[in-house]
Amino acid sequence: MEQLLNYIGENMEMIYFLILAILLGVEVISNVPAILHTPLMSGANAIHGVVVVGAIIVMLHASPDNYASLIVGFLAVVMGTLNVVGGFVVTDRMLEMFKKKPKKS
Amino acid sequence: MSLNILEITYLIASLTFVIGLKMLSHPESARKGNLIAAVGMLIAVIATITIYQPFDSSKAINYGLIALGLVVGTVIGTMMAKKVKMTAMPQMVSFFNGMGGACAALIAVIEYQNHTIGVGSGFDGELLVMLLGLIIGSVSFSGSMIAYGKLEGKIKDRVLPMNQLINMLMLAIILGLTVYKMLGYGDSMVFYGLLVIALIYGILFVMPIGGADMPVVISLLNSFTGVAAAFGGFLYGNKAMLTGGILVGSAGTILTILMCNAMNRSLTNVLLGAFGGNKAGGAKGEAGDQTVREISISDTAVLLSYSQNVVIVPGYGLAVAQAQHICHELEKLLEEKGVNVNYAIHPVAGRMPGHMNVLLAEADVPYERLQEMEEINPKMGNTDVVVVIGANDVVNPAAKNDPTSPIHGMPILEVDQAKNVIILKRGMSAGYAGIENELFFYPKTRMLFGDAKDSLQKLTSEVKEV
């Protein structure tokens, strides 16, 4: 129990951060028109690709002779990058189509 | 010093995520918002590689693998995203989402190996964060892959007997094992066991969910991955990961709820009540004893040309046939003839909310012509002809009239209020939710069978002649 409290105490800053970020996410998203649901989901999908930063940190920590870690870490980097790059490119392609119309009308 | 610079770059990255997401929710700024978030991501990645720790030449192989991984991921990701057709967008998002989930789970696996189990039997916060990242990441990965396979048509809907019970049981096992592990019992086998069970749970979780509910599931899994990424951020005290992950986690949850609201269904209903399966067969309206009336291309052309108000209802069939351009052409032609043409967009038409808007925007259909359900429904009574192109469930009157129908309660486009309804359809098959549509048998309804693109092409040239 005491360790639990200690853990919370040590990470108080992060916990504040966490709660505020949750509220911010709710705030940012509300009032979005239905037409943007798909691009928004896709854009949000790309943003959680930030997990690739974690994969890079894992790789930086890994000792060079620990092949198991290196291989798994490498896979994680590839997958995380796929998430980021694929996500942003797909979103951009969707939004590109919205872009054209103001010129026309 | 340099570590402070790293923290500052993470701050910048976090800000770009928030601003990017905010801009993504307005049509004019959406594209720029996406770009801003992408730049922030790039900054965070480069800063992590270069500043996180001083370069150590003994770790050259690590740096090489990181670079290779980034290149491989970028090349494959770009290729996949560029090649994918507009119709396949939802499953692409699901696929990329699964990759993020897998990445989070793999991080937890490696960190677990490096983790020295806390001495004594106290509370081990790091272990908890790892376990949660592992479980949520794995569920998100396998679930997304199933969603991807289902939308691609590679995996069929399959409902195990007592699927819900099995799912509950697995969830209980996952919780139980997590608590067991947290109390300091068990060795690595428990950890890997959790990995496997979470993967299976993800499969069973998505497997029975079918039909129109898939977008909701993808959105939900999207927020799962966000949460998994945030646990990674917690583990490293990395604020960029934490902001990015949590933002998506909470925003994704809200988005999921918005989508559920659009269908007038609660989230639990979506997740527990297997929708769309074959159970719907019991609904009334056997196709056999009723006849539908067909209409010819030329009759349709005449009817449309001499109408005052025409409403086009696009659906997934339009996307499949890639008929959005020809559809726009027909609409322009009719406009020239003085016909007032609008599009009625059901919130869940297609396989994802907003799917139709994206598709029609691609064909340069002016924004003002796309009208949402609440806007257009009151005008249906004044509409001469409604042209339904490849849509089915979203115009099914059973949602209003038949309490036994599985889609009962879902708001629909009230096309049955219009004077005439023409339905472009390939055949008499049921819609994605697998239920019969009594609209097809109404006296005011006419069917125009054939591929949507083909029919629209013929129709366009016919309208020119009128």
Side-chain angles (χ1 to χ4, degrees):
Chain A
M1 192 59 200
E2 202 170 320
Q3 277 109 326
L4 176 65
L5 288 177
N6 281 342
Y7 186 77
I8 293 175
E10 282 164 24
N11 291 286
M12 210 51 198
E13 197 193 338
M14 291 298 255
I15 292 168
Y16 262 97
F17 198 86
L18 196 91
I19 294 168
L20 292 177
I22 292 174
L23 296 177
L24 189 62
V26 174
E27 198 50 45
V28 161
I29 269 317
S30 43
N31 292 328
V32 57
I35 48 159
L36 281 173
H37 280 174
T38 301
L40 187 68
M41 185 204 287
S42 181
N45 173 47
I47 290 175
H48 70 47
V50 71
V51 69
V52 73
V53 168
I56 292 170
I57 294 177
V58 161
M59 285 296 274
L60 290 174
H61 282 289
S63 103
D65 51 8
N66 185 349
Y67 294 116
S69 276
L70 283 181
I71 293 170
V72 179
F74 172 72
L75 277 178
V77 172
V78 172
M79 288 170 147
T81 315
L82 263 175
N83 187 180
V84 171
V85 178
F88 280 124
V89 175
V90 159
T91 313
D92 191 61
R93 268 194 63 196
M94 286 183 200
L95 294 170
E96 193 179 25
M97 296 162 182
F98 284 95
K99 195 84 192 228
K100 279 191 237 146
K101 22 154 251 289
K103 269 185 269 166
K104 285 234 164 177
S105 54
Chain B
M1 212 292 274
S2 62
L3 278 182
N4 286 336
I5 296 178
L6 185 65
E7 286 301 323
I8 292 170
T9 61
Y10 284 159
L11 174 65
I12 294 170
S14 304
L15 276 176
T16 65
F17 295 160
V18 177
I19 294 167
L21 210 54
K22 182 77 202 164
M23 288 172 81
L24 266 167
S25 40
H26 296 286
E28 320 82 55
S29 58
R31 199 174 178 199
K32 208 181 271 172
N34 186 48
L35 203 67
I36 288 176
V39 169
M41 188 73 75
L42 189 69
I43 293 174
V45 167
I46 292 176
T48 310
I49 298 173
T50 52
I51 318 179
Y52 187 77
Q53 61 182 37
F55 182 75
D56 175 357
S57 57
S58 71
K59 284 193 173 177
I61 181 167
N62 300 37
Y63 284 94
L65 281 175
I66 292 172
L68 185 65
L70 289 173
V71 170
V72 171
T74 305
V75 171
I76 300 178
T78 312
M79 265 170 35
M80 288 180 81
K82 289 260 181 204
K83 243 179 54 188
V84 64
K85 290 201 199 82
M86 262 300 144
T87 41
M89 238 23 139
Q91 48 266 52
M92 197 80 267
V93 174
S94 186
F95 178 84
F96 290 138
N97 180 45
M99 290 296 111
C103 182
L106 291 181
I107 291 173
V109 168
I110 301 176
E111 285 302 328
Y112 178 75
Q113 289 168 342
N114 301 337
H115 183 70
T116 39
I117 305 295
V119 223
S121 55
F123 175 79
D124 186 346
E126 281 195 3
L127 180 63
L128 179 64
V129 172
M130 270 178 227
L131 286 173
L132 292 175
L134 176 86
I135 295 165
I136 300 173
S138 310
V139 170
S140 178
F141 168 67
S142 61
S144 296
M145 288 302 124
I146 296 295
Y148 168 77
K150 284 181 103 167
L151 287 175
E152 281 281 281
K154 286 179 184 150
I155 300 171
K156 295 266 171 291
D157 294 354
R158 209 166 281 144
V159 184
L160 288 179
M162 294 189 296
N163 202 315
Q164 295 315 330
L165 196 71
I166 296 174
N167 283 5
M168 295 287 187
L169 207 66
M170 292 198 72
L171 203 57
I173 294 174
I174 290 174
L175 277 174
L177 281 179
T178 308
V179 172
Y180 181 73
K181 184 80 189 160
M182 280 312 295
L183 291 174
Y185 301 110
D187 51 9
S188 305
M189 282 315 290
V190 179
F191 184 85
Y192 292 111
L194 265 171
L195 171 67
V196 173
I197 298 172
L199 285 172
I200 299 173
Y201 179 72
I203 297 173
L204 294 180
F205 173 67
V206 179
M207 213 56 189
I209 301 170
D213 286 340
M214 209 38 107
V216 178
V217 178
I218 295 178
S219 177
L220 188 68
L221 292 172
N222 192 27
S223 60
F224 278 10
T225 311
V227 174
F231 281 121
F234 215 91
L235 192 59
Y236 298 120
N238 184 314
K239 298 213 174 57
M241 285 172 78
L242 201 59
T243 331
I246 282 297
L247 264 185
V248 177
S250 68
T253 309
I254 296 297
L255 196 58
T256 311
I257 294 169
L258 286 178
M259 288 182 188
C260 285
N261 288 347
M263 295 194 294
N264 197 17
R265 286 161 65 73
S266 73
L267 189 56
T268 31
N269 212 335
V270 168
L271 298 180
L272 296 180
F275 184 68
N278 307 322
K279 288 178 191 169
K284 66 167 185 175
E286 295 292 312
D289 52 0
Q290 281 173 300
T291 48
V292 295
R293 278 161 290 264
E294 286 193 53
I295 187 169
S296 70
I297 298 273
S298 52
D299 285 348
T300 313
V302 172
L303 187 60
L304 287 177
S305 303
Y306 292 104
S307 294
Q308 286 255 299
N309 292 306
V310 169
V311 169
I312 298 177
V313 179
Y316 188 65
L318 179 88
V320 173
Q322 288 289 307
Q324 63 272 33
H325 294 281
I326 187 73
C327 185
H328 178 48
E329 209 165 304
L330 177 68
E331 161 227 313
K332 276 192 295 187
L333 212 58
L334 290 172
E335 282 284 330
E336 282 165 25
K337 288 178 182 285
V339 184
N340 184 17
V341 186
N342 281 304
Y343 290 84
I345 310 292
H346 190 278
V348 294
R351 296 277 159 97
M352 262 187 156
H355 196 178
M356 290 300 123
N357 304 75
V358 172
L359 204 71
L360 292 170
E362 186 198 358
D364 284 330
V365 173
Y367 210 58
E368 322 74 73
R369 292 212 191 287
L370 307 183
Q371 306 211 340
E372 295 192 18
M373 185 170 59
E374 296 82 12
E375 225 178 316
I376 198 115
N377 265 347
K379 300 183 197 161
M380 282 295 184
N382 278 328
T383 304
D384 301 300
V385 188
V386 170
V387 184
V388 180
I389 307 172
N392 191 341
D393 300 325
V394 297
V395 294
N396 194 339
K400 273 192 310 183
N401 309 336
D402 179 4
T404 65
S405 170
I407 60 167
H408 183 72
M410 180 174 93
I412 55 160
L413 290 164
E414 291 161 359
V415 301
D416 50 329
Q417 307 289 322
K419 292 173 191 129
N420 295 285
V421 181
I422 296 175
I423 294 173
L424 270 68
K425 211 170 177 319
R426 262 183 307 195
M428 277 310 290
S429 59
Y432 200 51
I435 36 185
E436 205 59 64
N437 193 339
E438 61 184 71
L439 176 71
F440 301 163
F441 307 107
Y442 280 16
K444 61 172 88 165
T445 306
R446 297 285 180 277
M447 308 294 287
L448 183 58
F449 287 117
D451 174 70
K453 191 175 188 176
D454 190 47
S455 300
L456 284 171
Q457 253 152 6
K458 287 184 191 149
L459 200 53
T460 309
S461 43
E462 199 71 31
V463 169
K464 278 182 193 152
E465 305 287 310
V466 176

